[in-house]
Amino acid sequence: MSSGYFNNIKEATVSLFNGFAITLSNMFRKPVTLQYPDKTPRSVTDLMPERSRSWLKVEMPICTACLNCEKACPIDCIKITTEKDPSGRVMSGFDIDMAKCMYCGLCTEPCPTGAIHFIPEFERASFSLDQMISRFVPEGEKVVPYKVPKKDKDEEKNSAKEEAEDKAAEAEPDA
Amino acid sequence: MGIQTEEMMLNMGPQHPSTHGVIRFVVKSDGEVMTEAVPDVGYLHRSIEKIGEICEYNGFMPYTDRADYLSAMNANQGYAMVVEKLLGLEIPERAEYLRVIAAELNRIISHILSLGAVAMDIGAATPFVLALKEREKVNDLMEALCGQRLTYSYVRIGGVSYDMPPGFIERSLKFLADFEPFMDEFENLVPENKIFIERTAGVGVITREDAIAYNLVGPNLRASGVDWDLRRDMTYSVYPKLQFEVPVGVGSQGVVGDSFDRFIVRIKEIKQSISLLKQCFAQIPEGDFLGEIPRVMKPAVGECYVRTESSRGDMGYYLISDGSKNAFRVRIRTGSFTSMSIIEKISRGMMLADLVTFIASLDVVAPEIDR
Amino acid sequence: MENFAIHIHESYLYGLPLSVVNLIVMFGAAFVVLLGFVAPFAGLLSFIERRIAARIQCRIGPNRVGPQGLLQFLADGVKSLFKEDLIPKVADKPLFIIAPYLVFLGMFTSFVVLPFSSQWIVADLNVGILYLFATAAITVVGLVMAGWGSGSKWSMLGGMRSAAQIISYEIPTGLAALTAILLAGSLSLQEIIAAQGPHPWQWYFFDNPFTFIAFFILFVALVAEGNRAPFDLPEAETELVSGYNTEYSGMRFLFFFFAEWAHLYVLGAILTTLFLGGWQVPESLLASVGAESIAARILELVFFQLKIYVLVFLVVQLRWTVPRVRMDQMMDMCWKYLVPIGFFCVAGVAIWMMLFPDGVSFVKYLLIAFSSAMVLYYFYKVYRNFKDSRAELELNPFV
């Protein structure tokens, strides 16, 4: 009984002492805070890893309008409208509702050319849901789907991807 | 004789700082001591199971993240396993290792958050923030691995969605090397503190019989002295190739199955996960990360149930297929739901402050209760 | 004070009766103390606390408003002023409205007797220490009123807790203070300080083993009286949402926090006065600036403040280190530990004074040696913890 009494005091004092030693040592450690957005060491998009799933972007020049992404999306936030045109099948709309998107990445996987992909940009909050819809085909315009050259089916994906990068570089001013 | 006294009905939640989400407790209290606390669940019901019936098999994967957002990798893994079993798929060994690596990393951060939350609910804010600091480091690893920080959807049916990025093993090992001293310090700061011991020891004691009768799972079950871990006893994935111990509550503060035991069991599990991760990084073979999967997933008519050991214990997926592209029925069995059921029994005669400790020590996650 | 009033009366307001002038001067002084002193101190302490807490948690803390976030408390104050003053429908309106002012009153009236230097004191009451404890007791009335008047069950629980807590902890506070009073033979704060000296071996803290223990009792009891963690049960946010101030908003809400931080300062001041030699400055230092000059007074003020801020730092660190105790444990701690040990210390000091009227220098040096050894060991442990964590060193407090 009496030993428990003094033991309690001793334990409380010792554990308090140890706790104080830890918290004080914490005060000399470098803070881990990243002062987003204005005091980051580099721009925030540079800090994001390569695979970062942030905002969806479609490289329209290489989109084949295969509708794979639309089918893969579990919440139907991708909407592609195609029309018959004298020149063939054309896309009159490619909308992604980013307000609905849950950034799962399922749409990027079945894409044959890698046209739909994530970009490490996320600072696109907006005040209206309407602005959250990314429209990749400007209204009133029509985009002719990209046709994968048939020459080497095996390297189809690779070559298409390389080409996609080239085309993406060209298309940069639009974005 | 005496003054007429009346019990006071308190509404704890749905918005309350320590209910960890939207859970409501109807508390009948007589001042500080309460006579009853009845949990009222369902405030976070999002019909995830019903959504599973209208999504394709692959499309349901992101929803499993939301079922238990604190250990999304474990939830992913369970769902992938049940569909693979239904389809009869074999998955590459490297993919299995990647899944286990992801799952164990996830177990670490889920447990560390739970430990921090217990400390936070008892009134110490610093351990919680320090725990979050470590959690962020793992989140960075996860982001490098799969591109997301919370809802990973990393696992795919037939494998995983990405291979490890270059330098991932080195980064992870460096993190683990820094993490071990942090855990020592954390132990020194929290569970060795006299006030913390006083607050948790003997609080919310769940006996071995109760734990089994109420179907508790995971760390809560093990803290009550039941030596049961699905990773070892109903083994799956690559766990048979790995060496690990299953920590069991020993009643280091007098009673087996109190809040303190649950805390200590989680700390020990983190240490086991660290060793599991090191083994995985040493053993991981070269190979594909995604196996051959059918273009359209149409499993044969049948049903299947798969149990996995998630951070919160036994997570089971029950799937009925009618041969079409969508599942006929998806059912998720989660640990938090059963944990909620025992609160009413144990909380009788507890103090109000102890109820908070008890709920936190059970590590219930609101979305996992309601789904 | 009275001389000042007479001076004002003779020079400017000779048309008015002296009593009215006295009153005006008093209100003026109170106004100056409140606006010019308590507010910046409470605000500054809030800033210090937030920055310390941040660094303990590997964060940075508020650093945007003003230089290094120093004006954050002003921004918070202005924000609170503009907030809607919500009064719940079921609240007991008069009680609800008065409560924060009572809480604040209890805290800031104690500034009246705090000795900032050998001459800077508003009123050197001959019962100064009793006055301090008496005003602190007004707070509890305010807290109970806030708890009851809010008409919320959580608030009421908080109010009840605070009543039980503050009333219980008055006893160990009084007992521990009694040791210093016994040694000094006076209740006046100035006389208690004067009875001590500038050097550690002249402080009551190291006078004998009993006062050494009494210091820690007083420390714990005062922390509990101020509702600071680990004794912040009345506002325990994870249990009672926010306790007695759950229903408050705007400026009324701010008054509670004002009182809390003001108490932090008062706590440091009481401990410094009773056990750490108050504003005493070594004579050689005092002589170098002229013992009667204003510089000497400022030097005294600086010494007093330094001691207070060391204690404040410890209290803040305590808050961010330990978890909260439970209601029954808090009562246990008071009645089973602090009160008996407090009585033991009072009796011990009395006997000590009888046996050794002039004190025992050997014991004093032993206590100082022991304390220094503990402090050194503490810093060694801090160094070890830092090394073990493999973290980067960052000494600059203004990152």
Side-chain angles (χ1 to χ4, degrees):
Chain A
M1 175 63 207
S2 62
S3 71
Y5 185 85
F6 290 109
N7 210 24
N8 278 347
I9 298 177
K10 195 194 108 200
E11 278 175 15
T13 320
V14 170
S15 67
L16 201 64
F17 188 81
N18 288 337
F20 263 60
I22 289 172
T23 43
L24 189 67
S25 82
N26 261 316
M27 287 198 71
F28 298 113
R29 296 180 198 174
K30 198 172 175 155
V32 292
T33 312
L34 198 66
Q35 297 196 54
Y36 176 80
D38 54 340
K39 286 188 188 168
T40 48
R42 284 173 288 156
S43 88
V44 193
T45 24
D46 290 351
L47 291 172
M48 307 287 283
E50 202 182 332
R51 287 175 186 175
S52 166
R53 303 211 299 260
S54 295
W55 208 268
L56 278 171
K57 188 168 186 242
V58 184
E59 308 296 350
M60 284 319 285
I62 54 163
C63 176
T64 59
C66 63
L67 308 188
N68 272 353
C69 51
E70 193 179 356
K71 282 178 210 148
C73 182
I75 41 177
D76 303 336
C77 70
I78 303 176
K79 195 162 163 262
I80 307 171
T81 40
T82 52
E83 278 174 18
K84 283 275 179 207
D85 207 65
S87 59
R89 197 159 146 271
V90 291
M91 283 185 278
S92 59
F94 196 130
D95 300 347
I96 303 181
D97 190 347
M98 292 312 283
K100 274 190 199 165
C101 177
M102 56 179 175
Y103 307 92
C104 61
L106 286 173
C107 53
T108 61
E109 279 162 27
C111 184
T113 58
I116 183 162
H117 63 107
F118 285 108
I119 48 173
E121 245 178 70
F122 57 92
E123 295 163 304
R124 293 205 186 167
S126 116
F127 286 104
S128 80
L129 283 176
D130 198 47
Q131 284 171 14
M132 295 293 283
I133 300 174
S134 317
R135 292 178 209 282
F136 293 99
V137 178
E139 231 165 294
E141 279 181 40
K142 301 211 165 39
V143 175
V144 183
Y146 174 72
K147 280 213 173 60
V148 182
K150 282 187 181 155
K151 49 186 177 183
D152 38 11
K153 280 249 168 171
D154 297 342
E155 289 170 35
E156 184 179 281
K157 217 167 175 179
N158 295 334
S159 62
K161 267 196 179 151
E162 275 164 32
E163 219 164 310
E165 274 155 26
D166 297 345
K167 289 228 175 182
E170 285 167 29
E172 207 68 338
D174 301 331
Chain B
M1 51 171 285
I3 309 161
Q4 274 267 313
T5 56
E6 215 178 289
E7 278 176 355
M8 182 165 75
M9 204 201 84
L10 270 170
N11 234 335
M12 192 168 163
Q15 285 88 27
H16 187 278
S18 60
T19 52
H20 299 232
V22 269
I23 315 168
R24 175 172 168 239
F25 293 89
V26 183
V27 177
K28 282 203 182 114
S29 83
D30 180 14
E32 285 287 325
V33 182
M34 31 172 243
T35 49
E36 200 181 30
V38 184
D40 180 8
V41 300
Y43 284 89
L44 212 58
H45 184 69
R46 293 147 299 160
S47 329
I48 284 186
E49 291 166 355
K50 190 74 190 163
I51 291 171
E53 296 168 20
I54 54 171
C55 276
E56 287 179 25
Y57 284 100
N58 228 342
F60 186 59
M61 191 58 79
Y63 288 99
T64 58
D65 293 336
R66 276 83 178 165
D68 180 1
Y69 55 64
L70 287 182
S71 62
M73 288 292 191
N74 301 70
N76 283 177
Q77 192 187 10
Y79 179 69
M81 277 166 66
V82 72
V83 181
E84 282 152 14
K85 202 169 169 188
L86 214 52
L87 285 165
L89 281 180
E90 279 289 314
I91 72 162
E93 199 176 3
R94 187 176 174 85
E96 289 279 22
Y97 271 98
L98 284 169
R99 282 182 187 183
V100 169
I101 286 168
E104 292 304 322
L105 271 176
N106 206 160
R107 196 185 308 277
I108 288 178
I109 57 175
S110 175
H111 279 347
I112 194 86
L113 189 71
S114 152
L115 299 177
V118 174
M120 177 85 160
D121 281 351
I122 290 175
T126 305
F128 179 71
V129 182
L130 295 183
L132 276 184
K133 184 190 81 185
E134 296 303 312
R135 190 186 148 85
E136 281 304 305
K137 292 181 188 166
V138 182
N139 280 351
D140 284 343
L141 286 176
M142 294 290 211
E143 201 180 12
L145 181 65
C146 70
Q148 280 296 28
R149 299 175 73 85
L150 186 71
T151 50
Y152 309 112
S153 9
Y154 172 59
V155 182
R156 290 280 178 270
I157 293 160
V160 292
S161 55
Y162 299 98
D163 200 352
M164 278 193 277
F168 184 77
I169 294 182
E170 290 74 39
R171 275 180 76 184
S172 305
L173 288 176
K174 187 181 172 300
F175 161 74
L176 291 178
D178 287 346
F179 187 65
E180 276 166 308
F182 169 79
M183 277 317 286
D184 293 340
E185 193 182 270
F186 191 82
E187 271 184 85
N188 210 337
L189 184 63
V190 188
E192 283 174 23
N193 187 293
K194 182 72 180 161
I195 299 176
F196 183 85
I197 294 172
E198 290 288 319
R199 280 299 302 275
T200 49
V203 169
V205 181
I206 301 176
T207 58
R208 191 190 157 89
E209 291 70 35
D210 272 349
I212 296 171
Y214 278 82
N215 201 354
L216 288 193
V217 289
N220 297 338
L221 179 73
R222 291 192 278 278
S224 295
V226 185
D227 194 2
W228 175 258
D229 189 323
L230 286 171
R231 287 176 292 174
R232 185 194 63 194
D233 300 318
M234 292 177 69
T235 193
Y236 57 92
S237 197
V238 293
Y239 285 111
K241 293 178 197 161
L242 304 168
Q243 306 266 307
F244 63 102
E245 285 165 26
V246 177
V248 177
V250 288
S252 44
Q253 294 299 328
V255 210
V256 178
D258 57 359
S259 302
F260 189 80
D261 266 355
R262 285 190 279 278
F263 195 86
I264 292 297
V265 162
R266 290 207 167 85
I267 287 186
K268 286 181 182 163
E269 279 193 17
I270 288 178
K271 291 187 170 163
Q272 291 303 321
S273 290
I274 293 173
S275 114
L276 276 173
L277 278 170
K278 284 183 178 165
Q279 293 173 42
C280 281
F281 286 132
Q283 291 178 11
I284 186 163
E286 290 297 319
D288 287 337
F289 61 88
L290 193 61
E292 284 293 315
I293 46 170
R295 244 184 113 75
V296 182
M297 283 179 203
K298 279 189 179 174
V301 180
E303 55 186 318
C304 189
Y305 184 63
V306 162
R307 299 164 77 179
T308 55
E309 183 75 20
S310 143
S311 310
R312 262 155 287 285
D314 185 347
M315 189 167 198
Y317 282 90
Y318 178 56
L319 213 64
I320 305 179
S321 159
D322 56 358
S324 68
K325 282 201 307 196
N326 303 348
F328 178 72
R329 179 85 175 92
V330 182
R331 169 96 179 91
I332 312 172
R333 179 240 185 274
T334 54
S336 296
F337 186 72
T338 51
S339 303
M340 289 297 282
S341 63
I342 202 168
I343 288 175
E344 188 175 348
K345 176 175 183 187
I346 302 294
S347 64
R348 284 193 195 117
M350 234 182 208
M351 292 186 89
L352 199 59
D354 284 344
L355 176 68
V356 171
T357 316
F358 181 48
I359 299 167
S361 77
L362 282 174
D363 188 21
V364 291
V365 173
E368 210 204 15
I369 298 167
D370 299 330
R371 300 182 298 277
Chain C
M1 212 41 207
E2 276 158 31
N3 298 338
F4 184 63
I6 291 165
H7 174 71
I8 296 271
H9 180 243
E10 282 168 356
S11 344
Y12 308 107
L13 299 169
Y14 41 84
L16 289 169
L18 184 62
S19 54
V20 176
V21 176
N22 249 330
L23 210 63
I24 292 172
V25 169
M26 266 185 196
F27 272 106
F31 186 73
V32 169
V33 166
L34 173 62
L35 273 187
F37 204 79
V38 182
F41 264 120
L44 201 65
L45 282 182
S46 79
F47 168 73
I48 289 173
E49 160 143 35
R50 290 168 75 173
R51 286 299 285 261
I52 291 174
R55 284 306 295 269
I56 283 176
Q57 300 172 346
C58 296
R59 295 186 285 120
I60 293 173
N63 68 346
R64 297 295 168 97
V65 188
Q68 281 297 321
L70 208 60
L71 301 179
Q72 183 69 45
F73 71 93
L74 283 183
D76 289 346
V78 171
K79 187 196 80 172
S80 293
L81 269 175
F82 286 123
K83 286 259 173 180
E84 187 187 352
D85 181 23
L86 285 171
I87 298 179
K89 223 177 202 174
V90 289
D92 193 331
K93 240 183 169 178
L95 293 186
F96 186 83
I97 290 168
I98 299 170
Y101 305 120
L102 267 184
V103 173
F104 186 64
L105 185 79
M107 282 309 157
F108 105 90
T109 42
S110 45
F111 276 79
V112 172
V113 292
L114 293 188
F116 292 103
S117 83
S118 56
Q119 265 143 53
W120 292 351
I121 181 166
V122 180
D124 182 17
L125 299 181
N126 55 3
V127 287
I129 189 80
L130 289 184
Y131 172 85
L132 267 180
F133 296 149
T135 53
I138 300 177
T139 317
V140 68
V141 181
L143 295 184
V144 174
M145 274 165 75
W148 175 259
S150 298
S152 153
K153 289 166 185 170
W154 297 111
S155 301
M156 201 185 75
L157 276 175
M160 291 298 150
R161 279 181 176 192
S162 77
Q165 175 176 342
I166 296 181
I167 293 171
S168 305
Y169 275 87
E170 296 259 291
I171 295 161
T173 316
L175 285 173
L178 208 55
T179 57
I181 295 167
L182 272 177
L183 281 170
S186 168
L187 289 168
S188 154
L189 292 176
Q190 286 292 42
E191 278 175 39
I192 292 175
I193 293 177
Q196 302 174 56
H199 302 292
W201 53 89
Q202 292 166 317
W203 294 351
Y204 284 159
F205 184 38
F206 297 116
D207 191 76
N208 58 55
F210 303 106
T211 47
F212 189 75
I213 300 169
F215 174 83
F216 292 103
I217 294 179
L218 188 63
F219 184 85
V220 174
L222 281 175
V223 170
E225 260 199 78
N227 295 335
R228 294 279 308 179
F231 303 100
D232 59 345
L233 293 118
E235 49 188 295
E237 92 232 20
T238 48
E239 295 157 24
L240 303 183
V241 190
S242 191
Y244 55 82
N245 57 32
T246 309
E247 304 293 337
Y248 280 90
S249 66
M251 205 56 199
R252 278 185 230 285
F253 178 70
L254 203 65
F255 267 115
F256 285 114
F257 280 90
F258 227 31
E260 190 185 319
W261 279 306
H263 180 272
L264 199 56
Y265 186 81
V266 174
L267 175 154
I270 294 178
L271 282 166
T272 309
T273 307
L274 292 184
F275 289 101
L276 300 180
W279 40 255
Q280 293 273 16
V281 179
E283 267 162 38
S284 53
L285 207 62
L286 210 56
S288 66
V289 292
E292 293 304 315
S293 67
I294 194 104
R297 299 290 87 76
I298 290 172
L299 205 61
E300 284 173 349
L301 181 71
V302 168
F303 266 64
F304 189 62
Q305 300 295 339
L306 275 180
K307 289 171 190 172
I308 288 177
Y309 278 111
V310 170
L311 290 168
V312 164
F313 180 84
L314 287 178
V315 178
V316 169
Q317 203 192 341
L318 180 71
R319 173 169 178 183
W320 299 103
T321 305
V322 293
R324 185 184 305 121
V325 296
R326 204 168 58 206
M327 193 66 195
D328 56 331
Q329 288 161 359
M330 188 198 69
M331 285 297 166
D332 271 5
M333 191 167 170
C334 178
W335 295 104
K336 288 187 187 163
Y337 293 90
L338 297 185
V339 171
I341 298 172
F343 272 117
F344 170 73
C345 288
V346 172
V349 167
I351 293 168
W352 190 273
M353 283 173 71
M354 206 167 73
L355 295 178
F356 317 104
D358 303 322
V360 191
S361 24
F362 169 69
V363 174
K364 287 181 188 174
Y365 292 127
L366 206 65
L367 281 172
I368 292 175
F370 173 72
S371 309
S372 323
M374 286 318 279
V375 170
L376 282 179
Y377 179 58
Y378 175 59
F379 283 115
Y380 169 71
K381 281 211 72 144
V382 171
Y383 174 74
R384 287 284 347 147
N385 285 331
F386 180 77
K387 276 278 158 215
D388 288 345
S389 72
R390 304 183 201 178
E392 277 179 73
L393 184 69
E394 179 66 67
L395 283 176
N396 179 13
F398 304 110
V399 275

